Amino acid sequence: MAYFKSETQRANFVQREEELLEHWDKERTFERSVEHRKDGEPFVFVEGPPTANGLPHPGHVLTRVVKDLVLRYKTMRGFYVKRKAGWDTHGLPVEIEVEKNLGINTKGEIEDYGIEKFNKKCKQSVFRYEKEWVNATKRVGFWVDMDDPYITFDINYMESVWWSLKEVWKKGLLYKGHKVVPFCPRCETTLSSHEVAQGYRDVEDPSVYVKFKLKQEKDLYLLAWTTTPWTLLGNIALAVHPSNTYVKVKLNASAKDEMLILAEARLDALDDDYEILERFEGKALEDLKYERLFEYAKVEGGEAHKVITAEFVTLDEGTGIVHVAPAFGEVDYEVCREKKLGFSQPVNSAGHFTHEVPPLEGMFVKDADRLIIELMEQRGVLYKEAKYLHSYPFCWRCGSPLLYYARESWFIAMKSLRDDLLANNEKISWYPAHLKHGRFGNFLDGIEDWALSRERFWGTPLNIWLCTECGKDFCVGSIEELKARATNTVTNDLHRPYIDEVMLRCEDCGGDMRRVKDVIDCWYDSGSAPFAQWHYPFETDKFKQNFPADFITEAIDQTRGWFYSLLAISTAIFDEPPYLNVLSLGHILDEKGVKMSKSKRNVVDITAIFNNEGADALRWYFYTAGPLSDDIRFSEQGILEKQKKFLNTFWNSYFFFVTYAAIDEFNPEVTAIPVAKRNAMDRWIISRWNTLTAEVIAAIERFEVHVAARKIEEFVVNDLSNWYIRRSRRRFWVPEENFDKDCAYLTLHEVLVSLCKLLAPFVPFLTEHVYLNLVRSRDEHKSVHLCDYPSPDESLIDTALEDSMLLLSTLVEAGRRTRSDAGIKIRQPLREVVIVCNAEKHDKVTSLTAILKDELNVREVTLVDASSKSEFAAAEEYKQADVDEDTTLFLNTGLDKELIEEGMVRDIVRRIQGMRKDIDLEYTAKISIMYEGDVAVKEAITNLADYIREETLAVAINEGLPSVESEQIYVKTWKIDKKEVRLAIKTT
């Protein structure tokens, strides 16, 4: 009775994956794999929470399969790896989606609709595609606990966030400030610097050179340059560098005898011929007054329209004179405050000009550029206009161009924690390593205070109450504290609008305290996951067991997103890094190299990939595409190619084994042969396997998954299938039992079982199926995923044998290349190959000459030293190939009748084997062969009939074809050595 279940030669990977999903659910395999390691050392992972209000795409799948590989690997290495899923449920991404569904676009429309109704819609929306996310997660084989996830809108999670903000407040790090901040006019809210960093695009804007007329001077202008014409309506000053050289020039082409002032180093900005009239330092221009470009917007709080000096003025571009508008630039705001200059804000929070600018009232500022340029041209103050390509920030969620506004916001003083952030970053291992002191380290080095508050609706409310009488602020750190201080009812929902109604009593003056209307940045929500998911500090045990995390991974953009927010919050509260190892992934692009997005209609339906190629094929494609930090050009054809090259090869190797093992009723439980007693090929593949295991473990530990996967693929395709199994086939075909055949069976079984374990974190479905058949009743756990990960057995690594086999493969490659150059196919036997080499290589090749003879299809292998080289080099029939600096191969290409006949018969055998495959014959099926051909064909078949019978399992070979066609007879005509040969096979 066969020990192994029979298999079909053509694997249906998709069907088997779906069957295994049911099997895993039924057997609770994931849960058992975690419980199995409960006494092991913890390996802590924090899931970066996705938002389920959009469908998952290949980029999401990439992060999930990378996480799964690492977590499965660590579990099999004996670690206790709990995996809690998470959902990011607050913030602009959710609000914008709801706005689209409701057909509204502004905050005012939301308030008219009703904050309570709007937030209920948001709460419903965040799980709109939960089913699709759960299905995709399960279907790709990512084992994570989705039954008990952390959810950022959960009241316990929000309470922990509030606690953390109170800790920040108590340290004096949370403050209210009036600053120029990045602002989205579409969403009407402030953004943080790390959010801005995620949304830059290269855009072409109008570049204008503008003439500001000096007062008390005739035809003398200061020439300034800007790429944001709309900000000229808020101009307050012009800045020059105090020590740079400036010039007054007369434009020769001007009919008005116009004169311009600009930096001497920027004279190439002029299009006209000019004459330099005067040179002076920038400080000579200080306090000069100039006429306003536009008289519309009022100026409040100080002087305006004068020249100031500032160190930030550069000569890299423009004119060396900088237009300063404090309402729209952080540097502008600070310098005007320092110089006690005025302020002008003619733009509302939606990015539209106000009634103060009648010609532009209600117009979006970026749309007003053209009209502003025309107005300046009409007034004679536009010197010239051009297009300017530069990087400009856009809202990372809605895509609107960001504006810089001076606004009141609540900030976390991250600048004061810069040194602590950098010190904690030193405790983290980054993959790739250059991010630590490069992209991420540089970002920390120039860190800005975190603009925390958002003038929005759906989010964790900022837990600051202000006294309406004395102005004192108070931060609430828990629900218990809120209820104790409240003067009215507190509901069980901390969201707006309910929390807006909660009043506190001021402990200083007894006045009423109202909460500020803002919610917090949703990145603060997700960055609180290490402690908030465990409801810390209100529950303590689980947090202490799971902090810091050993491993996190997301895409490269999270260096300015989640990776940063995690570190910023943990540094502010605990002064410790929240994670010890972080793996940054590249993005998924389409085949043309464009980032996938719904708007570009280039997003791939991952469900179709699962249904067509399967999860293992997709996973393997991702793992082998290149370093995980590199972008991947996604190609379904590439997935198919990986399926054919690797998964099919692995399956075929397994299928070969179980087919012949069933025929011979091989039972691994009753066969035990020490490795040392097996032949060279067996010892070699076992040695290679153990070397591979060491290399794979080392690569995964460095998170070089592509290196590990490619080494496994090379082993399976080249070493196992194309070399070991191909070289060992005849050992399995021997009809009677013998020692060597048992060695081959045992070796191949051991390698396949070990391969399943090594590959389990990479392709969990195929390895589970194969493993369950190969081990049958011997595995008490009934899953490869509950096994220990293989460890290399150093005693079985024979480097000398591996070196010898490597040399042999090099000689084979050189010999085949020489055949090709001579126009002789590999199936044509040759008389001899001569290897000229040193004594060391002579010893390596000697024990493997039988393999070399077979691989090069030669009758004899002759090994000689360098003294004999000239003899063979002079012989016409010997073709030379230089293998390396001290090894040369000579191939005897002379052919006689006997060799030609053997070559023809080998071709005939190959055609018959192909015909067997065409009609799906079983490996063991016996056949009868009939043929037609000329005299040479008949002689060759007659002389080598025994060889044909042995190779094709033929019981009879007869000349002539049947006169009547039969369904049981398969006939095909071939061209072999330019001769027509008709072959027929019939099953017996």
Side-chain angles (χ1 to χ4, degrees), residues 241-459:
H241 194 286
S243 58
N244 286 345
T245 300
Y246 289 78
V247 292
K248 179 165 72 173
V249 301
K250 180 179 183 299
L251 299 180
N252 296 335
S254 174
K256 297 181 181 179
D257 291 330
E258 278 187 351
M259 294 174 289
L260 301 178
I261 294 175
L262 71 162
E264 184 173 24
R266 297 303 305 161
L267 280 168
D268 59 356
L270 299 179
D271 290 343
D272 304 288
D273 293 334
Y274 57 84
E275 176 187 352
I276 297 177
L277 302 177
E278 191 178 346
R279 285 184 176 84
F280 39 83
E281 288 187 333
K283 61 187 176 185
L285 298 170
E286 191 170 17
D287 292 330
L288 290 180
K289 295 277 191 173
Y290 60 87
E291 295 179 1
R292 295 185 68 174
L293 287 181
F294 303 100
E295 296 290 341
Y296 301 121
K298 64 179 182 290
V299 177
E300 299 174 327
E303 284 189 278
H305 308 114
K306 60 185 280 189
V307 179
I308 61 174
T309 58
E311 295 290 334
F312 64 74
V313 178
T314 69
L315 300 176
D316 297 336
E317 53 191 351
T319 67
I321 299 177
V322 176
H323 141 63
V324 177
F328 309 121
E330 184 177 5
V331 174
D332 305 41
Y333 180 84
E334 294 298 332
V335 74
C336 286
R337 189 171 67 170
E338 177 189 332
K339 304 278 186 181
K340 295 183 170 54
L341 298 180
F343 186 85
S344 179
Q345 174 56 287
V347 178
N348 66 20
S349 62
H352 299 119
F353 282 105
T354 66
H355 67 279
E356 290 187 48
V357 190
L360 306 174
E361 183 178 359
M363 185 176 289
F364 182 61
V365 292
K366 299 290 280 186
D367 296 335
D369 280 343
R370 175 47 45 198
L371 184 53
I372 293 168
I373 292 169
E374 290 173 1
L375 288 172
M376 290 192 295
E377 197 164 20
Q378 291 167 14
R379 296 174 185 212
V381 294
L382 179 69
Y383 175 71
K384 70 173 182 178
E385 172 194 359
K387 291 293 185 183
Y388 181 70
L389 183 67
H390 65 144
S391 186
Y392 192 87
F394 288 75
C395 179
W396 67 288
R397 276 304 180 187
C398 77
S400 297
L402 297 182
L403 308 178
Y404 282 79
Y405 281 176
R407 299 184 69 82
E408 281 193 342
S409 291
W410 288 83
F411 296 86
I412 299 177
M414 297 311 302
K415 277 186 180 180
S416 66
L417 299 177
R418 173 185 168 278
D419 292 344
D420 297 328
L421 288 167
L422 291 169
N424 283 332
N425 188 40
E426 289 301 313
K427 302 173 186 176
I428 299 169
S429 295
W430 279 85
Y431 304 90
H434 64 79
L435 293 175
K436 181 172 188 170
H437 298 120
R439 181 184 174 99
F440 193 71
N442 291 338
F443 182 67
L444 295 181
D445 201 37
I447 201 64
E448 299 290 335
D449 285 353
W450 187 341
L452 179 73
S453 55
R454 297 289 178 273
E455 300 159 57
R456 296 297 301 188
F457 308 97
W458 176 243

Side-chain angles (χ1 to χ4, degrees), residues 717-758:
V717 174
N718 296 330
D719 294 346
L720 180 63
S721 175
N722 194 41
W723 193 252
Y724 178 78
I725 292 178
R726 184 175 61 80
R727 291 290 323 144
S728 301
R729 279 180 302 188
R730 285 182 175 80
R731 299 167 68 193
F732 295 93
W733 294 347
V734 175
E736 66 279 355
E737 290 187 19
N738 68 35
F739 178 78
D740 187 55
K741 183 164 73 169
D742 285 345
C743 288
Y745 272 127
L746 200 59
T747 299
L748 185 52
H749 180 265
E750 289 168 358
V751 170
L752 287 171
V753 170
S754 298
L755 253 180
C756 286
K757 297 175 184 177
L758 194 74

